[in-house]
Amino acid sequence: MSLSSSILLNRLRDLMRSKIYFKDIIDAYIVPASDPHQNKYVVDHYKRLRFTSKFPGSNGTAVIADKKAFLFTDDDYFLQAEHELDQTCWKLKCDQMNDNFSIINWLARELEKNSIVACHPQLVSIFERKEWEKILLQSNIDLVSLEVNLIDLLWNDQRSSLSDTSISISSNELENSVNEKLHQIRLNMDKSQVHHLIIHQMDVFLWLFNLCLVNIQFNSVLFSFAIIGYNYVKLFIDLNKLSKSIHDYLQYEDVFVYPYDSFYNEFKKIVESVDYNEKFCVSSTCNYAIQILISEKQFVIKDDIICRSIAIKYPCEIE
């Protein structure tokens, strides 16, 4: 049975005040309409904003404070939200700039000094998180990352499974081999003096492993992470999406395949096992939870290592 917005908000505020998930009371909790890969359109499993506010639009951000709850959305969804939000417990605001920076600026003006703002680190990019923190610190407001997503604690068994998404994967035999592409990527890594590269973008993953999506009903959303080192490649993906032939093909290309949900634990093990001087490279659009696992000395943001490789077209691609 679906809970009303007022009940959900009261339960969320209880968690914010509980000091179980952070040492102090959380004054404002941000719920973006995003997923760990910063996709614009998210599958049901990640529709936390809709679960919390009952607003089904694809563009919006919720901010829940102690006494009030706000939904920010752009002009395209504003009229729709006016009709669908429970006006007794939600206040609607128009985000004319259509970015979260204007929302963070609003928070910096509205909250008292020494307030604490929280957001789950998987739902904000490294670039966004850095800018948010800079804006809030100017008003003496702390931005904290919680290990647990508070919305998920309320969602429980009502939440749809991630593997419900009906997508299959097939190989693209026209492409060059994975090892050829990896060789070029590793040359770029060596030039940039990085030892490990993290990939989170779906289009890059499909290009690198010569795969394509089939049975797509709407948006081609596939969740995966990959970690490339000089002597290994690890792919994290929903294993139910891989046929035996695709799995065998990846093994033939020396790609180690792991369940998608094991990415953060496996990545943490890699970080802890390597020499402290080795560098980990991520894109600025990677989610902030990845940066948390890497020391500042080992952390490098660079967007062009993969881009340079993709930009070079092989003869079969030109054809």
Side-chain angles (χ1 to χ4, degrees), residues 102-166:
S102 56
I103 299 171
I104 300 302
N105 278 305
W106 175 85
L107 272 173
R109 293 192 304 268
E110 293 292 319
L111 293 177
E112 296 179 0
K113 288 184 177 182
N114 301 317
S115 293
I116 293 173
V117 176
C119 182
H120 196 266
Q122 291 184 18
L123 303 182
V124 57
S125 72
I126 292 170
F127 171 75
E128 285 180 317
R129 178 58 167 71
K130 181 180 178 181
E131 295 301 310
W132 290 12
E133 188 173 39
K134 187 189 303 181
I135 293 168
L136 292 173
L137 281 177
Q138 290 174 355
S139 299
N140 293 322
I141 297 171
D142 288 332
L143 177 62
V144 301
S145 298
L146 305 183
E147 291 185 10
V148 177
N149 192 307
L150 300 185
I151 304 301
D152 295 352
L153 297 175
L154 302 174
W155 216 342
N156 295 325
D157 55 355
Q158 300 176 54
R159 190 179 187 188
S160 62
S161 169
L162 187 58
S163 61
D164 286 347
T165 310
S166 180

Side-chain angles (χ1 to χ4, degrees), residues 271-284:
V271 173
E272 292 174 346
S273 65
V274 301
D275 187 277
Y276 191 63
N277 292 314
E278 294 190 16
K279 306 290 186 183
F280 290 84
C281 181
V282 300
S283 162
S284 60

Side-chain angles (χ1 to χ4, degrees), residues 253-276:
E253 295 283 1
D254 296 322
V255 177
F256 296 95
V257 182
Y258 296 81
Y260 175 78
D261 290 339
S262 68
F263 167 72
Y264 293 97
N265 286 333
E266 289 296 325
F267 181 55
K268 185 178 180 181
K269 290 178 185 175
I270 292 173
V271 173
E272 292 174 346
S273 65
V274 301
D275 187 277
Y276 191 63

Side-chain angles (χ1 to χ4, degrees), residues 2-15:
S2 179
L3 297 175
S4 68
S5 285
S6 59
I7 292 175
L8 280 172
L9 289 172
N10 286 334
R11 292 185 179 180
L12 178 58
R13 288 175 177 125
D14 287 340
L15 294 175

